[in-house]
Amino acid sequence: FFRLRDYLRASVLFTDIVDNHRGHPAYPEALFLLGESLFQAGDFLGARTRFREIVDQSGARAYQPFVQRSLGRAIEIAIRTQNFDGVEALFSRMSQLPPTEIEAGTNYFRAKYLFGRAVPHTDAVTPGQLTPEAVNLSVLEESRVAFDLVAAASPYYGQARYFIGVIHTIREEYPQALA
């Protein structure tokens, strides 16, 4: 069902596996796939719970292949739902990992989270109001640095470059924005 993109049915099956086979060697993968199925089905809160369970078990070897993707998804869910409770704890977990193990998607969503914290919500701001004085410049710089960490081979590279251009535009650094 998961590969057929029938995420609702897949989540029902993965829930059965997760609820009834906690000691099985495939449990960490089933937990991740349950989180991903819920995410794809639009149940962001259920997915967030499952992804955070994986992150909480990040010290266990069996969970390590799923920690990065779970971190990225948990951050993405926070951005989508605008509920940032516990996100700082996720970043603190992420900072404990070696930089070479952090996936591009995780860097991208961390940068996007920081950008959202630095810039007022776009629906509430008209274009003329988005000035350097209206944003948190130190957090905006953190965001720019995080976007810069997204590798060229990443599927998020183009989006990261776009945000870097937006950041330079906000700071009225037009030549850098054009670059």
Side-chain angles (χ1 to χ4, degrees), residues 76-176:
E76 183 178 1
I77 290 167
I79 293 167
R80 285 184 181 209
T81 61
Q82 294 293 304
N83 180 350
F84 300 109
D85 294 338
V87 172
E88 293 299 329
L90 293 174
F91 288 139
S92 121
R93 287 275 182 145
M94 194 168 81
S95 69
Q96 295 170 358
L97 299 171
T100 55
E101 290 183 17
I102 297 175
E103 293 180 359
T106 306
N107 279 331
Y108 172 75
F109 287 113
R110 179 177 184 272
K112 196 168 174 186
Y113 162 76
L114 291 168
F115 182 84
R117 278 191 42 219
V119 178
H121 192 272
T122 55
D123 291 343
V125 178
T126 61
Q129 291 177 318
L130 194 55
T131 62
E133 296 80 29
V135 300
N136 183 333
L137 292 175
S138 64
V139 176
L140 192 66
E141 178 58 18
E142 284 182 63
S143 174
R144 189 200 59 75
V145 169
F147 279 124
D148 218 18
L149 293 174
V150 178
S154 165
Y156 298 103
Y157 181 74
Q159 292 160 304
R161 294 291 139 212
Y162 168 79
F163 275 103
I164 290 171
V166 169
I167 291 167
H168 285 301
T169 301
I170 290 171
R171 290 196 257 177
E172 299 176 352
E173 301 167 345
Y174 301 116
Q176 294 92 329

Side-chain angles (χ1 to χ4, degrees), residues 6 27 68:
D6 187 348
Y27 177 82
Q68 284 299 307

